[in-house]
């Protein structure tokens, strides 16, 4: 039951993008097409889960025993940067089309505060490794859900007759705000 609460809470109630406002850069930048949003979701999921596992182990077996917890943020950032480089190399070999589609946004994962935020939240919430992995997967799914829904809405608004002053970023921000308010409706579930 505990894992179900973690999953529902991370995906719907405390959505990493729409409630906690982490990962907004890729949320706005990669959400113009659903295909790109799906690819970004996969990359973020892989990096977020891997980063959570590695940072958890580093925190509990290196930083805490040596009493150098103050190096947590810089250590986590370096780990995430290395993992993003790994994802870039893998995507370049496995799926060059997805690598090209993600383009400049793939390096954005390095600075995606959602990944760093989840890694730090796992430590702050005092989760064990299994809970941390479930939390990371659920947050990645929540990120992906918000990103894909938003991409679909943006594709739809591109086909609509939007007033000239609202075209582009303004209507995207209004849509993101409405989507965030819609997700607030889930706040009573958990």
């Amino acid at each position: 039951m505990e894992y179900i609460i973690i999953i529902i809470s991370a995906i719907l109630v405390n959505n990493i993008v729409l409630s906690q406002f982490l990962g907004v850069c890729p949320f706005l930048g990669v959400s113009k097409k659903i295909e790109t949003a799906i690819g970004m979701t996969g990359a973020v999921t892989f990096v977020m889960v891997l980063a959570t596992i590695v940072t958890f182990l580093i925190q509990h077996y290196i930083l805490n025993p040596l009493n150098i917890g103050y190096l947590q943020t810089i250590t986590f950032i370096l780990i995430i940067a290395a993992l993003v480089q790994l994802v870039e190399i893998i995507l370049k070999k496995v799926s060059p089309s997805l690598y090209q589609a993600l383009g400049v946004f793939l390096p954005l994962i390095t600075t995606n505060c959602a990944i760093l935020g989840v890694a730090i939240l796992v430590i702050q919430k005092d989760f064990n490794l299994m809970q941390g992995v479930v939390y990371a997967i659920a947050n990645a799914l929540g990120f992906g859900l918000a990103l894909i829904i938003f991409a679909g809405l943006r594709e739809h608004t591109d086909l609509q007759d939007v007033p000239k002053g609202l075209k582009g970023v303004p209507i995207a921000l209004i849509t993101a705000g409405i989507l965030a308010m819609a997700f607030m409706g889930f706040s009573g579930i958990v």
Side-chain angles (χ1 to χ4, degrees):
M1 188 66 173
E2 181 181 345
Y3 291 107
I4 293 171
I5 291 172
I6 290 172
I7 292 168
I8 291 172
S9 175
I11 293 175
L12 299 174
V13 179
N14 296 318
N15 187 285
I16 197 83
V17 177
L18 300 174
S19 293
Q20 298 180 29
F21 306 112
L22 296 172
V24 175
C25 288
F27 177 72
L28 293 173
V30 187
S31 60
K32 292 180 182 173
K33 292 185 178 183
I34 292 176
E35 297 83 32
T36 310
I38 292 171
M40 180 59 104
T41 299
V44 166
T45 302
F46 179 74
V47 172
M48 191 176 286
V49 171
L50 208 55
T52 300
I53 293 169
V54 173
T55 56
F56 180 90
L57 295 173
I58 297 268
Q59 179 75 33
H60 286 282
Y61 294 108
I62 296 175
L63 298 179
N64 288 349
L66 296 175
N67 291 323
I68 53 173
Y70 56 88
L71 292 175
Q72 179 188 58
T73 303
I74 191 72
T75 305
F76 287 12
I77 289 171
L78 292 172
I79 290 167
I80 292 166
L83 291 174
V84 169
Q85 291 300 313
L86 178 70
V87 169
E88 246 185 294
I89 292 167
I90 291 170
L91 274 181
K92 200 173 198 179
K93 290 186 181 203
V94 173
S95 179
S97 60
L98 179 58
Y99 177 78
Q100 289 294 90
L102 291 175
V104 72
F105 299 110
L106 194 56
L108 273 179
I109 296 175
T110 304
T111 59
N112 186 345
C113 55
I115 294 172
L116 178 61
V118 167
I120 291 173
L121 285 171
V122 164
I123 303 301
Q124 286 179 348
K125 291 177 182 278
D126 202 29
F127 285 150
N128 62 38
L129 184 58
M130 188 63 187
Q131 290 171 327
V133 169
V134 169
Y135 184 72
I137 292 169
N139 271 294
L141 292 175
F143 176 84
L145 177 67
L147 188 63
I148 292 166
I149 290 172
F150 189 56
L153 291 170
R154 284 187 76 175
E155 283 185 1
H156 185 72
T157 55
D158 287 345
L159 301 173
Q160 302 304 311
D161 187 26
V162 178
K164 188 176 180 181
L166 293 177
K167 285 189 186 236
V169 176
I171 195 69
L173 292 174
I174 292 169
T175 305
I178 293 170
L179 185 59
M181 286 193 304
F183 269 70
M184 283 177 52
F186 295 116
S187 63
I189 292 178
V190 177

